[in-house]
Structure formats: structure tokens, C-alpha cells
Amino acid sequence: MRLSPVIGLQASAIAVAAVCLLPLPLRADSPVLAMVGGAPITQAEIEQALRLPLYELEMERYRLTRRRLDQMIVERLLARAAAAQGQSVSAFVSAEVQGRIAAVPPEADPAKQEARNVLVRERATQALQELVARLSREAGVTVTLHPPDAPVMTIPVGDDPAWGSPAAPVTIVEFADFECPACKDSLPVLRQLRDIYKDQVRLVYRDFPLSSHPQARPAAEAAYCAHEQGKFWAYHDALFAQAPDLKTSDYVTLAERLGLNQAEFTACLAGTRPKAAVARDLADAQGLGLSGTPTFFINGRYLSGFQSLETLRQYIDRELPAIR
């Protein structure tokens, strides 16, 4: 039986502390690593571009270390409790979880046997987790391993689409992709934030169309043209509602459905402005070292991937007291 991590230990592990860091100064004395056409590439420039990728590597090392630490804690807790009972670990665990399994009645119907097996596994896992949690409390387990500090970046926003007051004390910058399933899943969470925080939070949307999503870039360009007519968020929502089944032929149809000026929208799509705007966002994302979507910066504090409402609220609430 695979041992589950300590309940409550992992839950407290991912609260990442951070300090506000401006872009690293490109020191005149920074070692030169290469010369290109007489122009130097310095170590400071490389460090600037690698801040987030190196942080992700540090986080992966932390996660692996934490996983192994939790496993060792569980193993020692069970060995300690089993020894106190004069039993082997397997006999001790079996005795502790057997009651939960026995409570599941046998099933004679082969068609229902698999469902019973699933229920047995679920109850055994839950019983083991509750056992480990109890043993952890009784042993007074403490963990002093902490995750690495996350860098806080300075993110330019320019005239990118935004909702919320420009005077809001907390700004969330989201780099997203209209074909990204996790970005689509983030929409209900972000809408809840808007309702909860009202004038306290501003959300800025920036494009990071991934090369693996063929419609992400044309969709972003179409959304830019909707932005020029003040309809970005309606168009944004319509794109995500239709994703991942996006087609080039849909963009004009969506604009028509939302009441945009068709002539202006079509002329915008054929011009260079949307391409240049999306290219600027993409260059900024690549310059920051981003590798996936969605990526959030909460007052510059870096968060990668889908985030729950609870996690985003923790980061927002952490910012608000510092501002008051």
C-alpha cells in the first residue's frame, strides 16, 4: 500500500514568501560571457532573463525534497506507533484501516464489484490519512523546510485591456492564451475576485499565445481589434466560451454578434496594429522567461498555472495590509 503524505503538512508548505525586487541592475563590472559583433553579453543580462526559470528549478527541487520528507515522516510515525503496539507496520496499518473496509458490504454482482473495489480503496486511503494526521498531532511533528522566495517582477502594462480601477491597490497581470484550457478554467475564479474585491483589484490581460496552439495568435489579434472598439472583455469571454474550437472564420462572426463596427473590425484585422500589439506582449512574456499559461503577477508576485480562488485571495490579502 502506498503511504499518503502527512495531512496538513503539505497544505502549509506552498505559502511562498517574497520580497519586492526591481529588475536586476546591469552592472558595468558584470563579467562578459560572450561578444557578438563587438557588443558584450554579460552575466547580469543572463541572470535577469533566467530569474523565473531558475526559480522554477528551485521550486521543483523543493517539491521533490518536501515529498521525500513527508514520506519519511509518515514512515517514522507508523514505525513508532507500530513498535508501541508490538506489531509490524503492515499489521498495525491493517488493523487500523480494516474497520473502514469491513464496513463496505460484499457485492455478489460482478458488474458492481469494480465500484465496490473503488469504494474500498477510497475508504482505506482516507482511514490511513486520518491515522497519520492523528499520529502527527500526538508526536508534535514540526517542519522547518520552507520553499524558496519567489521573485517579484516589474511588469509593464501599457494600454493592455484591464478591468477595475487604475487606482486599485492590487494589480493582477495575467498572461494568457485563448486556446489554453487552464486559462478558460480560470475565468470563473477571476469573476469571483471581481465581485469580492470590487475597487481593490485591477486585472490586466496580456497575450502569451503558445506556439502549440495554432489559433491562439489570430484569436489574440482579433481580441485586440475588439479592444479598439471598447469591447475587449465581451469578446474575450466569447472566445473562451467557444474554445478550444476556434476557427479563423469565427472572429468576424463573433464581432458581428457583439455589435462591433464590421468595417472597422475587418480593417483592423487586415492591418499591422494587432500583430504588433500581440508581438509586444509575446516578447515581454519571453523576456520574463515565461513558459506556460496562465501566469499571474499579483503586484509583481509570480504565480504560475491555474490558481484556486483561495490561493489568489491569500496573495491579494497579503498585499492589502501592506498598502493600508
Side-chain angles (χ1 to χ4, degrees):
M1 180 182 294
R2 185 178 180 86
L3 299 180
S4 299
V6 179
I7 298 298
L9 292 179
Q10 288 184 334
S12 63
I14 310 299
V16 179
V19 293
C20 187
L21 301 175
L22 296 176
L24 297 175
L26 301 182
R27 304 185 311 274
D29 61 345
S30 180
V32 175
L33 303 183
M35 299 290 293
V36 180
I41 298 176
T42 68
Q43 182 172 323
E45 290 178 272
I46 297 299
E47 290 173 354
Q48 172 78 14
L50 290 179
R51 291 177 81 196
L52 292 183
L54 289 177
Y55 165 73
E56 291 289 5
L57 288 175
E58 291 175 4
M59 276 300 297
E60 182 58 25
R61 178 177 180 176
Y62 165 78
R63 284 189 285 266
L64 290 171
T65 304
R66 182 58 196 255
R67 189 176 303 130
R68 182 59 188 138
L69 175 62
D70 285 348
Q71 289 171 351
M72 291 183 70
I73 290 172
V74 170
E75 290 165 3
R76 294 193 182 185
L77 285 171
L78 294 177
R80 180 173 178 266
Q85 297 291 328
Q87 297 176 303
S88 68
V89 171
S90 60
F92 172 74
V93 171
S94 295
E96 291 289 333
V97 304
Q98 191 61 42
R100 292 288 190 91
I101 298 174
V104 182
E107 185 59 65
D109 185 350
K112 298 180 180 179
Q113 185 61 39
E114 180 56 33
R116 180 188 183 276
N117 292 342
V118 171
L119 181 58
V120 167
R121 289 194 293 270
E122 289 177 350
R123 290 197 177 182
T125 298
Q126 183 179 359
L128 181 58
Q129 289 173 340
E130 291 173 358
L131 170 63
V132 170
R134 176 173 62 79
L135 295 176
S136 178
R137 290 192 300 271
E138 293 171 354
V141 173
T142 59
V143 175
T144 57
L145 176 68
H146 299 293
D149 288 348
V152 176
M153 315 295 286
T154 300
I155 312 297
V157 296
D159 61 351
D160 287 289
W163 56 251
S165 169
V170 177
T171 295
I172 301 174
V173 180
E174 178 193 16
F175 282 87
D177 170 319
F178 285 110
E179 278 193 280
C180 161
C183 298
K184 182 173 183 174
D185 291 342
S186 296
L187 279 184
V189 176
L190 295 175
R191 288 176 182 140
Q192 289 179 74
L193 285 183
R194 179 165 50 186
D195 293 337
I196 292 168
Y197 290 96
K198 301 186 186 304
D199 295 332
Q200 293 176 301
V201 169
R202 181 181 186 229
L203 175 70
V204 179
Y205 183 94
R206 301 206 65 185
D207 291 300
F208 186 20
L210 303 179
S211 58
S212 57
H213 294 157
Q215 286 298 318
R217 194 156 187 161
E221 292 169 2
Y224 172 88
C225 292
H227 179 44
E228 283 197 343
Q229 296 191 40
K231 293 288 186 73
F232 173 81
W233 292 108
Y235 201 88
H236 161 282
D237 291 354
L239 284 173
F240 274 122
Q242 198 157 318
D245 301 319
L246 296 173
K247 301 185 295 294
T248 303
S249 59
D250 294 334
Y251 302 134
V252 173
T253 303
L254 284 178
E256 182 178 4
R257 194 175 80 200
L258 294 172
L260 276 69
N261 182 298
Q262 290 299 291
E264 291 180 9
F265 185 84
T266 303
C268 175
L269 277 182
T272 59
R273 295 191 308 279
K275 294 177 175 58
V278 173
R280 282 194 299 272
D281 279 6
L282 182 58
D284 282 349
Q286 292 170 337
L288 288 166
L290 305 190
S291 58
T293 55
T295 297
F296 300 95
F297 294 90
I298 301 179
N299 278 3
R301 297 178 186 274
Y302 170 70
L303 277 173
S304 178
F306 172 84
Q307 303 297 326
S308 67
L309 178 64
E310 179 184 0
T311 298
L312 289 174
R313 292 197 66 178
Q314 288 174 356
Y315 274 77
I316 293 168
D317 292 343
R318 187 185 306 165
E319 290 297 304
L320 291 174
I323 295 164
R324 292 181 185 129

